[in-house]
Amino acid sequence: MIKLTINNQTYEVDASPEMPLLWAIRDMVGLTGTKFGCGMAQCGACTVHVDGNPVRSCSFPVSAAVGKKITTIEGLSERIGEAVKKAWIELQVPQCGYCQSGQIMSATALLKTKPKPTDADIDAAMQGNLCRCGTYQRIRSAIHRASELIQS
């Protein structure tokens, strides 16, 4: 059994150490907000935070998450996360919505390190998050809006 701390709760999962964290989160713990996209850490749909840093859970082994704080979209509740989610809704960012939990997780990580990001900062931080619907301009606008909400 492997102990994982996900969204401030401890879970024991019967997983092999090399199992991708994504499958432990979705299939063993039952938190399905984190999505499977490509399985090769290239699309960003599976992004979660491990000790506050965005990681691609489809290629991050469960063993590397032991003893660390894992946050999924379901557990994103601090001020910055709430501002990002509010901005996403306000600006109607999603179309299909499939990639959006990963987009939100990456945007939140960016705003934690750069509360007032430039377009270049946003593009650099979000470049690995793919959106099949092409809502990149709305994503950028929502990140700027979330930054405003954080500052107010």
Side-chain angles (χ1 to χ4, degrees):
M1 294 298 256
I2 295 175
K3 280 189 181 182
L4 298 173
T5 303
I6 305 172
N7 302 332
N8 297 317
Q9 288 190 314
T10 301
Y11 297 90
E12 286 193 13
V13 296
D14 187 13
S16 66
E18 61 275 349
M19 173 189 271
L21 179 59
L22 172 65
W23 301 124
I25 291 169
R26 287 184 59 83
D27 295 346
M28 298 181 153
V29 176
L31 298 172
T32 58
T34 304
K35 304 299 182 195
F36 172 77
C38 67
M40 300 180 299
Q42 294 182 349
C43 75
C46 68
T47 303
V48 298
H49 295 171
V50 176
D51 284 346
N53 298 308
V55 301
R56 304 299 164 86
S57 63
C58 73
S59 65
F60 195 85
V62 169
S63 60
V66 173
K68 298 183 186 313
K69 180 182 174 188
I70 303 159
T71 306
T72 69
I73 190 74
E74 293 93 344
L76 195 62
S77 62
E78 76 282 343
R79 189 175 190 316
I80 294 172
E82 291 300 322
V84 171
K85 290 188 284 187
K86 182 176 181 178
W88 243 249
I89 293 166
E90 184 180 309
L91 298 179
Q92 299 178 3
V93 173
Q95 283 186 21
C96 82
Y98 195 82
C99 69
Q100 295 306 309
S101 62
Q103 300 278 0
I104 289 169
M105 297 303 286
S106 292
T108 301
L110 166 65
L111 290 169
K112 284 182 181 179
T113 59
K114 292 192 178 202
K116 293 183 182 182
T118 65
D119 284 350
D121 294 331
I122 293 169
D123 292 347
M126 303 299 289
Q127 72 179 343
N129 287 79
L130 302 180
C131 175
R132 293 182 275 200
C133 301
T135 64
Y136 299 111
Q137 293 300 322
R138 284 190 272 174
I139 290 167
R140 184 189 291 152
S141 295
I143 293 171
H144 283 301
R145 177 65 181 133
S147 174
E148 292 169 2
L149 292 169
I150 294 163
Q151 305 307 314
S152 63

